[in-house]
Amino acid sequence: MNKTPAAGAPPKRAIDIVNASLKRRYARERRFRFIGLSAVILGLSFVGLLFADIIAKGHSAFVQTYIQLPVHFEAAVLDPDGSRNPEVLARANYQQLIRDALRTEFPGVTDRRETRTLYSMISVGAPTQLRDRVLANPDLIGTTQDVWLLADDDIDMLVKGHIDRGLPENQRRVKDQAVGWVEQLEAQGRIAKRFNTIFFTNGTSREPELAGIAGALMGSFYTLILTLLFAFPIGVGAAIYLEEFAPKNRWTDLIEVNINNLAAVPSIVFGLLGLAVFISVFGVPRSTPLVAALVLTLMTLPTIIIASRAALKSVPPSIREAALGVGASPLQTQIHHVLPLAMPGMLTGTIIGMAQALGETAPLLMIGMIAFIVEIPSGFTSPSTVLPVQIFLWADSPERAFVERTSAAIMVLLAFLILMNLTAVLLRRRFERRW
Amino acid sequence: MSTTLDEMTVRTRATTSAELASGRESRETVGDVTSANPRMVCRHVDVFYGSTQAIKDVSLDIGKNEVVSMIGPSGCGKSTFLRCLNRMNDTIDGCRVTGSITLDGLDIYDKGLDPVPLRAQVGMVFQKPNPFPKSIYENVAYGPRILGLTNSKAELDDIIEGSLRKAGLWNEVKDRLDKPGTGLSGGQQQRLCIARTIAVSPEVILMDEPCSALDPIATAIIEELIDELRSNYSIAIVTHSMQQAARVSQRTAYFHLGDLIEVGETNQIFTNPKHKLTEDYITGRFG
Amino acid sequence: MSTTLDEMTVRTRATTSAELASGRESRETVGDVTSANPRMVCRHVDVFYGSTQAIKDVSLDIGKNEVVSMIGPSGCGKSTFLRCLNRMNDTIDGCRVTGSITLDGLDIYDKGLDPVPLRAQVGMVFQKPNPFPKSIYENVAYGPRILGLTNSKAELDDIIEGSLRKAGLWNEVKDRLDKPGTGLSGGQQQRLCIARTIAVSPEVILMDEPCSALDPIATAIIEELIDELRSNYSIAIVTHSMQQAARVSQRTAYFHLGDLIEVGETNQIFTNPKHKLTEDYITGRFG
Amino acid sequence: MHTSTLLILVLAFMSLAYYVGRKRAISTAGGVTRINTLHSLPVYYGLYAALWAGLPALLLMGLWAGFQDDILVALVKSELPATMLDGLSPGAASLLVNDIKNLASGAIVSRTPTPEMQLAADRYNLYNQFAVWAMWLAVSALALGGMAFAWLRTQPKMRARNRVESIFMAILVIFSSIAILTTLGIVLSVLFESMRFFQEVSPLEFFFGTLWSPQTALRADQIGASGAFGAVPLFTGTLMVSAIAMFVAVPIGLMSAIYLSEYAPRKVRAWAKPTLEVLAGVPTVVYGFFAALTVAPFIRELGMSMGLNVASESALAAGLVMGIMIIPFVSSLSEDVINAVPQAMRDGSYALGATQSETIRRVIIPAALPGIVGGILLAVSRAIGETMIVVMAAGLAANLTANPLESVTTVTVQIVTLLTGDQEFDSAKTMAAFALGLTLFVVTLTLNVIALHIVRKYREQYE
Amino acid sequence: RDSVWIAGSSTVFPFSTTVAETFGRETSFPTPKVEALGTGGGFKIFCSGVGVDKPDISNASRAIKLSEFDECQANGVTEITEVKIGYDGIAIANSKQSPVIDLNLAELWLALAKDIPNEAGEFVANPYRKWSEINPDLPDVAIEVLGPPPTSGTRDAFVEIAMEGGCNTFDAVKALKDSDKDKHKAVCHGIREDGAFIEAGENDNLIVQKIVANPNAIGIFGFSFLDQNTDTIQGTLIDGIEPTFESIADGSYPVARSIYFYVKNAHVGTIPGIQEYVVEFTSDKAWGPEGYLVDKGLIPLPDAMRASMGADAQALTPMTAPAN
Ligand SMILES: Nc1ncnc2c1ncn2[C@@H]1O[C@H](COP(=O)(O)OP(=O)(O)OP(=O)(O)O)[C@@H](O)[C@H]1O
Ligand SMILES: Nc1ncnc2c1ncn2[C@@H]1O[C@H](COP(=O)(O)OP(=O)(O)OP(=O)(O)O)[C@@H](O)[C@H]1O
Ligand SMILES: [Mg+2]
Ligand SMILES: [Mg+2]
Ligand SMILES: O=P([O-])([O-])[O-]
């Protein structure tokens, strides 16, 4: 009590001693609580800081610059024999159309170098863009259309303001002349930033404006699905066996220590192991979600097992006794009573393990995941890469436009992570109880 | 917070929807709920678990140097009421207390009042023994340590031995003070919890069936302890044994379905209960 | 595993080092430990927690249609002995049982014997109520479900209602069967655990102070239940109330510091104990 | 006719078997009303039948899928004109087979197919079809056979639950042994190379040498550095970085766990915990950049302004960021175990007049200790094993120093740099990576043994 | 396997992938898979044998070594076609916030060498701490150079070209060349380990950003990274020559190296697309002076060399054993 209660108390009342020291104890309490709160806030602000940093760098990658040009779909170029044969149309020289369009737009450009600069304003992916349009609608042939064409990454950077137009020309990748053209187009409203669908639908590419994360995302998806399928049952099963059924002796102690120790093995060593065992001995194909999942399973197992064992340990023995006492078998006791109570902890372990697997690069270096794979993987055994590796590769690319794409890819990875965690968190909440 | 009993205005009870739902008003308590020399004064206490009401408009005093026993059928709200007296109900989600409870005139449910010293002053022995997962020694030493009641190891050792002796456990555990308290038998755990409580010399002691797991001899020791403690402190005890109530308490309160049916001198309650329900219960005709 | 009682050879006891350490041989049991019509036969049972011995060379039968009560001071090993009878001791790390215990002639500690059906057959009510953190309904339904005692929801509902009624809890909980069993009062939890145990109709029932948290009326209901169950089953009950032992049991066993001191007809034990220790305990002169 | 269709078929068989097994159990018992004469619940007879139907079939399927292609290839090869395979190394033969397979599957081939190849491809297709049919038949037959077997075995006395449970138990044992096998695999895969390393470099130098500069004498034509293999600086570096990381992660993680489970309102907890967990999943490359480009310069500036000499790649920067990464290992795992401590423990403490923080510090934390230590151990382990952050932020210079403001390198960094990039086949340099891996393994094993003993000693079991 | 598999140098990776991508887009072959394992890592699996589970092409930022070639031979990889694809300049640069530095190779060597000759011609541990101690005209700041680790091809090239070039300007060193070849090499190639040279990992972007953050530091990395970041960093003049596209292409900028890829001839004709890929790579529209690889930072070979190299490559003429 904050006040000393009624006077006239017997001489040495415990409460007096208590009250005397109360202030100090409360100071300690407040301090403790404050430290706790600061810890949470600190932790959360790290998350915030990282997110803010990443979003600030990456948000602009979600839009992409397009340049509008009147393109004449010259029949002579596209379909010289007039057959409208899709095969012929597919092989036609669409580049030509774009170059023509550019030259008509900027008639003054004649110098060879200048023409090159001019052509390079439009992405090398633009011809494909045109081809798809023509294939979808062959009637375009012979007409002139205003088409929004994908801009090259340098122009994209310039339009987004990542290249400072105020710098001296020799310190810029985009030269004055190109800046002039861009400004001219901007004045005409022929430059627009649109939502970057390519980023979400394409596989990777050397051209930043064509590079997408779909391949890596699918790779991560397949990898994680498999990892979860392998690691969760194995981890939980192993934890249950070791904690609940295995006889407690030196041998199981050794296993426990050993599992703890596996968590400290550098992840790249798991890559070595995967290379030696899964690829060399069992012939699992390289660079596939399957082999990645196997390696990541081995890597995440300790996390899941340790967390699950801790969770099992915290279930009071009386619950087990109660179940055994009415004739439940040990396995039933586990499945009906202990497991539901330990599930939140197990799920936490799984969340963290999966998060780790999702963000891991090092072991994948060893098993061929650090690769340029354009095709979007279609299954567990098609060659693919994963998000963190894609990020790793993009981060190592010279092109400036990859900087924002790297951050955007990180954002997608984090979104993936959050989505994944959300499911587990919801599950976890269903199981959580205090008694 | 210098509210004294005199100044204290008993809060008016609002009829809650839960009460209306339960379809019945609480019963009037028979007998004198007050004590000549009260330490704790409860007035119109209602307790709700979520929307169900477990205690209905109970008023009761606990006097100085007196043992009040609470009896009543299982589930009638004795533990719930007891837990109100040192705000242990705070820890139960969804548990809500209204009405007023004062200790030496101070409203213990006052917003500004801090339950921590209150609980040091109003100790409690729980119905289910809950020893800490520590050694027997540490279990008893815990209270004195955190409250800073001792200055030296020797003093602490004394307190621990004294408390364990009073609880009649010393002989059984003196050789294994460093063994975990959770490895004791049921009755030993119960006595350990009693020792743990008296080690901090609380002025009011709430005991929820402290002898339920004890044999007659151990029970006698605890009853003796209660009698001894009474000379300085106030005690509220929940018990299912009428004999025990009769032996240790000066006043007895009979609870029934959340109502305090009757309060009175222990003698009177057991020999001459006024309320029909009390009588039925005492004579075993109930149910 | 077709060992019958006749074939069974009582294993010779080896004097263990722990015993030597404890410095004293176990005492001889006074009275007849056998039963005319035994269901469970225990011979020379020793129980160790790590290196300390909690039960010393105890032999005791539990007969058909009989209630055996076990009394003795707190910590004397009653719970320990009871837990041996359905191998609940298996769950305690470092607990070791030697000697022989048979159920209908089958050694329950036989390697090949599966403790799971044994425990369904020998039900147990624990000293500390331990409801599952599930609903009241699920608490009782669990046993019948896993043992496949019912074929339909209706049948299950019947079993649950019946068990709760027999345990005297039905009226208190019938409106809140879907509420958690852990939100009940102490006595209610205890009765819930009794209901849970009898719901699977075990043939031998072990009860560790089943009425410790119950008021006289609830106690009477449980005692009635015990009486009723006795007509078909065998029951071993630990209790601290001599009255209760006298009321419900046919035979009584008195434990002291891990020894079984005396066994006999309940009447005889309470009116005419043969051993000095028993007498002291019964008359309250002990300690 | 895809394998996954067959898988679904087997699963369907299993469900059927489950249903049939149950039914059969009930009928042998004499109807629904008499199922209590069964040894186990009907469910278990169902599971028993399902397992009999599924397990052998799945096993066969696995084996078949694993060996089918090898057998087909052997068949096709044996029928190829001998001249085609003459003098081909196994690798070259595999290329030929690959071409035949490409031809068979209709993909682009690298040359105009010869009639022999075309024939082989056709044969391959034929055999393949046949094999697939055979597999379907065999697997279905086995599934049905298993089901029939279970059907015959089903009778009231059969201890179905025990059988099913022992199968599950066996599965659990297999799961647990995976950890052992992994260890075995790791040890074996590093042991060999380590032994070879120690033949070239004396263990004495490796374990006690204080100079690490492995880039020399390794390739005849490369002169990198002095070629010293004293691993001590690596271990002290690892120790320092991990210690700094733990210095960040343990207090923040543990205090967050405590705050979230004991003080924070439910709602805050509900979102704060998963938010913190995100930290564990941020790719380590991102942390690497964060450490190298944000934290390290900041610390350097700060140090400079205080007149300290700070390396641009200080151990401090790497350690701090690594600490951030492993916060959730401590916070989330601890939070779960703290939450699992029964309320009765808290009640017992409050009733003695303890404040909340006293209760937490003296009752809850000790009770939850095994789990908390587990989480911390996991965090330490992660710190020791983490690579990318240190590669990018702590540099590669092996300094033997106790000053966190200097740059250090860690064992993992060295392993990665030695194993990736421009490496030689059997140079001591590459093998040094294995020796480092092995040593790290042994060192952490020792640490874990010690940790286990400590936990055992202080463990407090409630109830 | 129906697609080409390429593995090896991370320096060649951007070029290789660009070709692969175009190849995949413009032909009916699937896009080749390109793995970035580093030059040595690439040779390691490339030379491990012939077969579907071995790569078809290995990228390299240096020529194959004899030891690697022998390993290849030993494993049955007998016929290898070497294709030199162009040059990669190695830029030395610092932040724009500091003045441009003008070094010659000798000064560079003096700043980074492990041991340098003193007046008496004896070799002593490098005493220089500041640039100005080497040459008073150089800035008065501590020597702090961030560069790639020895596992990277960039480092190899830097050592072989810049360091060796620098050390040979000293008579004492030059004398060694004839007397003690090994010693000469050790002296020329040895990079100091006292903290002035910081091994900053394989990620060139990271080095770029680190020198932006630390204006006193100098970084060593691939030319394309300088090219992409001209707004924040500036190339150091070496022997008065600025690292630019032109100066590297015409050979006046001294620190440039050749980059290569190697084709496993045994796989040609069994894995579809290898030959076609080589053709694409060696077409003018790819590696020519106006080709798309130039946009990616490749410095093309001189025309004549390109023509002969291209012809050899397309004919898959196997190489002979390298000199060392
Ligand atoms: N898990 C355990 N570990 C170690 N010792 C134990 C354990 N459980 C009980 N004991 C000890 O064994 C002895 C017998 O305990 P038991 O629980 O059988 O007593 P009891 O007769 O049931 O007592 P009560 O009436 O108090 O419940 C006691 O001394 C007790 O302290
Ligand atoms: N945490 C809780 N949540 C909901 N209802 C509760 C909770 N605790 C107790 N109750 C209910 O409140 C009523 C009073 O419970 P209380 O524990 O006070 O009874 P009691 O008089 O102590 O009974 P006993 O003698 O059996 O211990 C009972 O009906 C009980 O079921
Ligand atoms: Mg109660
Ligand atoms: Mg007991
Ligand atoms: O990957 P590298 O080119 O540095 O060997």
Side-chain angles (χ1 to χ4, degrees), chain D residues 421-423, chain E residues 8-13 36-41 59-62 88 148-149 151-156 202 257 259:
Chain D
D422 200 358
Q423 49 186 339
Chain E
S9 164
S10 43
T11 313
V12 186
F13 185 75
L37 302 174
T39 303
N59 291 332
S61 53
R62 55 168 168 81
D88 178 44
T151 47
S152 127
T154 315
R155 163 80 168 259
D156 269 359
E202 299 254 19
R257 60 171 155 167
I259 50 180

Side-chain angles (χ1 to χ4, degrees), chain B residues 162-163 166-167 193-202 205 207 225 229:
Chain B
S163 308
K166 283 184 193 155
C193 291
I194 294 173
R196 184 174 74 183
T197 303
I198 58 174
V200 298
S201 330
I205 303 178
M207 294 180 151
L225 170 70
L229 291 172

Side-chain angles (χ1 to χ4, degrees), chain D residues 265-290:
Chain D
R266 250 170 218 280
K267 279 213 178 114
V268 174
R269 174 171 179 254
W271 64 261
K273 183 174 173 183
T275 309
L276 284 180
E277 277 161 3
V278 168
L279 286 174
V282 175
T284 46
V285 194
V286 177
Y287 280 115
F289 273 106
F290 184 63

Side-chain angles (χ1 to χ4, degrees), chain B residues 186, chain C residues 79 127 208:
Chain C
S79 301
Q127 185 168 11
D208 201 346

Side-chain angles (χ1 to χ4, degrees), chain B residues 176 183 185-188, chain C residues 49 74-80 127 209 240:
Chain B
R176 49 192 270 204
S185 84
Q188 288 168 336
Chain C
Y49 289 118
S74 167
C76 66
K78 305 178 296 294
S79 301
T80 303
Q127 185 168 11
E209 304 190 30
H240 281 307

Side-chain angles (χ1 to χ4, degrees), chain E:
Chain E
R1 189 151 68 83
D2 60 355
S3 64
V4 180
W5 174 13
I6 303 162
S9 164
S10 43
T11 313
V12 186
F13 185 75
F15 309 126
S16 185
T17 49
T18 310
V19 177
E21 192 180 347
T22 318
F23 174 72
R25 193 165 49 221
E26 294 180 356
T27 67
S28 49
F29 291 101
T31 308
K33 178 177 97 174
V34 189
E35 284 187 36
L37 302 174
T39 303
F43 278 132
K44 185 169 176 179
I45 53 168
F46 179 81
C47 288
S48 64
V50 167
V52 248
D53 50 353
K54 305 288 180 327
D56 311 317
I57 293 176
S58 177
N59 291 332
S61 53
R62 55 168 168 81
I64 192 168
K65 305 281 173 187
L66 184 58
S67 58
E68 288 158 344
F69 185 81
D70 289 345
E71 178 85 14
C72 265
Q73 301 295 323
N75 288 323
V77 185
T78 43
E79 297 202 337
I80 306 169
T81 304
E82 180 180 57
V83 185
K84 188 179 193 178
I85 52 180
Y87 303 108
D88 178 44
I90 296 174
I92 298 168
N94 65 349
S95 163
K96 277 234 154 106
Q97 286 160 281
S98 303
V100 177
I101 300 173
D102 187 351
L103 287 173
N104 58 36
L105 285 181
E107 288 161 351
L108 188 61
W109 184 71
L110 282 182
L112 295 180
K114 188 170 172 147
D115 298 310
I116 57 167
N118 61 8
E119 275 95 60
E122 295 161 345
F123 287 94
V124 294
N126 195 334
Y128 298 118
R129 300 263 127 223
K130 289 183 164 183
W131 290 104
S132 51
E133 292 167 8
I134 298 171
N135 180 348
D137 295 342
L138 289 173
D140 184 26
V141 294
I143 299 173
E144 200 173 340
V145 179
L146 291 113
T151 47
S152 127
T154 315
R155 163 80 168 259
D156 269 359
F158 176 78
V159 167
E160 274 164 28
I161 302 161
M163 298 287 284
E164 181 142 5
C167 73
N168 282 336
T169 56
F170 293 88
D171 294 337
V173 182
K174 221 171 185 164
L176 267 181
K177 194 168 188 173
D178 307 319
S179 59
D180 186 348
K181 235 182 152 72
D182 286 347
K183 178 88 197 272
H184 175 256
K185 196 161 203 169
V187 165
C188 284
H189 291 198
I191 288 197
R192 60 199 297 185
E193 293 168 41
D194 55 1
F197 181 84
I198 299 158
E199 289 174 349
E202 299 254 19
N203 188 322
D204 287 355
N205 262 326
L206 189 65
I207 301 184
V208 170
Q209 301 199 39
K210 279 182 173 175
I211 60 170
V212 173
N214 180 0
N216 291 336
I218 288 179
I220 299 170
F221 39 78
F223 170 71
S224 33
F225 290 85
L226 174 63
D227 194 35
Q228 289 281 340
N229 293 289
T230 39
D231 53 340
T232 47
I233 54 175
Q234 61 202 3
T236 296
L237 309 188
I238 304 290
D239 293 342
I241 312 278
E242 194 190 344
T244 61
F245 184 83
E246 292 75 16
S247 65
I248 299 172
D250 66 18
S252 57
Y253 181 73
V255 197
R257 60 171 155 167
S258 315
I259 50 180
Y260 307 80
F261 68 80
Y262 292 83
V263 183
K264 199 179 279 178
N265 286 4
H267 282 199
V268 179
T270 53
I271 302 286
I274 299 179
Q275 197 156 15
E276 290 79 354
Y277 170 84
V278 175
V279 171
E280 170 74 31
F281 207 127
T282 53
S283 69
D284 245 20
K285 77 181 215 289
W287 73 349
E290 309 256 296
Y292 54 76
L293 289 179
V294 171
D295 290 340
K296 293 283 147 196
L298 179 80
I299 316 267
L301 298 172
D303 288 349
M305 194 166 176
R306 207 169 62 242
S308 77
M309 190 56 82
D312 278 356
Q314 296 185 7
L316 293 167
T317 318
M319 67 183 291
T320 50
N324 58 17

